Amino acid sequence: QVRLVESGGGVVQPGRSLALSCTASGYTFSNSGMHWVRRTPGRGLEWVAAISHDENEKFYADSVKGRFTISRDQNTLYLQMKSLRTDDAAVYYCARAWSGDLKNAFDIWGQGTMVTVSS
Amino acid sequence: EIVLTQSPGTLSLSPGERATLSCRASQSISTSYLAWYQQQPGQGPRLLIYATSSRATGIPDRFSGRGSGIDFTLTISRLEPEDFAVYYCQHYGSAPLITFGPGTKVEI
């Protein structure tokens, strides 16, 4: 069964850091490009970052560029978040690019991990 | 950046009825890069439709998509109880310019 499971969410103060993980199972992780997407009550779904299967390409939304870093190894996707702001609070999802290509739609999603940014 | 607008914001219908959801882009987009997702409370989104009209694996044929240019539509021909959820359209294919619409809630 193809599955993605996020972890690492929690409560963090503004300006601090937090690292999210996404563990993949049931398929060959190294063949697939991956994304992070977040959801907030006010802004809905927002694409955050993407990484190609071989890590040669990394892309970021303007709102997180310079503060967030996407990476991967083995069967795990990561999102290192620094200088967190209150508007980074969201449920964060990892998602797989269909057929591995970052140009494709997102065919598998995790259940999400919640990040709360509050003093 | 392409902005996607969805209407209506909320659609109140009964099981067995037909649902028509609209997604409008701020500029013309390729039909190859328009997708629809369904999200249930507490779950991640589920891919329903990609490339405007292709159903994803395992998606029942009561879900269909169409459109071109700036106007795209998701139709659910006969609503089942499990179809009451939030639906998002997405323009993909061009990271970092991937965008989602604000969503349409289909409620009973």
Side-chain angles (χ1 to χ4, degrees):
Chain A
Q1 179 187 6
V2 177
R3 196 175 180 210
L4 298 172
V5 179
E6 302 92 339
S7 60
V11 180
V12 61
Q13 294 178 326
R16 304 299 292 263
S17 299
L18 194 66
L20 305 182
S21 299
C22 166
T23 301
S25 58
Y27 73 101
T28 305
F29 180 69
S30 59
N31 288 349
S32 290
M34 297 292 295
H35 298 269
W36 285 101
V37 177
R38 63 189 180 185
R39 182 178 59 82
T40 65
R43 300 194 305 273
L45 292 175
E46 179 186 15
W47 175 82
V48 173
I51 186 168
S52 60
H53 69 95
D54 57 6
E55 294 193 82
N56 284 343
E57 295 180 294
K58 297 181 183 181
F59 302 96
Y60 299 93
D62 286 345
S63 57
V64 307
K65 197 175 298 182
R67 300 187 300 120
F68 289 13
T69 301
I70 189 171
S71 62
R72 62 190 297 163
D73 72 6
Q74 300 280 346
N75 66 336
T76 304
L77 177 72
Y78 302 99
L79 187 67
Q80 177 68 45
M81 304 184 293
K82 298 181 179 179
S83 303
L84 281 162
R85 310 187 304 219
T86 53
D87 62 354
D88 293 319
V91 177
Y92 284 75
Y93 302 96
C94 59
R96 185 181 77 170
W98 176 63
S99 290
D101 190 336
L102 283 181
K103 291 189 181 298
N104 288 340
F106 306 177
D107 68 335
I108 302 295
W109 295 66
Q111 84 291 346
T113 188
M114 182 174 289
V115 173
T116 302
V117 183
S118 174
S119 54
Chain B
E1 175 184 295
I2 292 174
V3 177
L4 299 177
T5 304
Q6 290 186 244
S7 62
T10 302
L11 196 53
S12 298
L13 295 168
S14 300
E17 289 193 298
R18 181 185 189 90
T20 302
L21 287 66
S22 174
C23 176
R24 175 165 286 185
S26 58
Q27 59 186 278
S28 182
I29 61 175
S30 168
T31 57
S32 298
Y33 300 119
L34 193 285
W36 290 90
Y37 298 86
Q38 176 195 68
Q39 188 170 29
Q40 300 283 6
Q43 298 181 19
R46 176 173 72 143
L47 177 64
L48 300 174
I49 301 285
Y50 64 94
T52 298
S53 59
S54 297
R55 275 188 298 277
T57 302
I59 302 304
D61 61 6
R62 64 180 181 272
F63 291 92
S64 63
R66 60 180 297 173
S68 64
I70 65 169
D71 285 315
F72 298 85
T73 301
L74 173 71
T75 300
I76 311 171
S77 59
R78 295 172 309 279
L79 283 164
E80 297 287 341
E82 62 268 27
D83 298 337
F84 292 91
V86 180
Y87 293 82
Y88 297 93
C89 58
Q90 178 204 33
H91 178 243
Y92 60 93
S94 56
L97 301 177
I98 296 170
T99 56
F100 291 88
T104 290
K105 182 178 181 180
V106 178
E107 65 176 22
I108 297 178

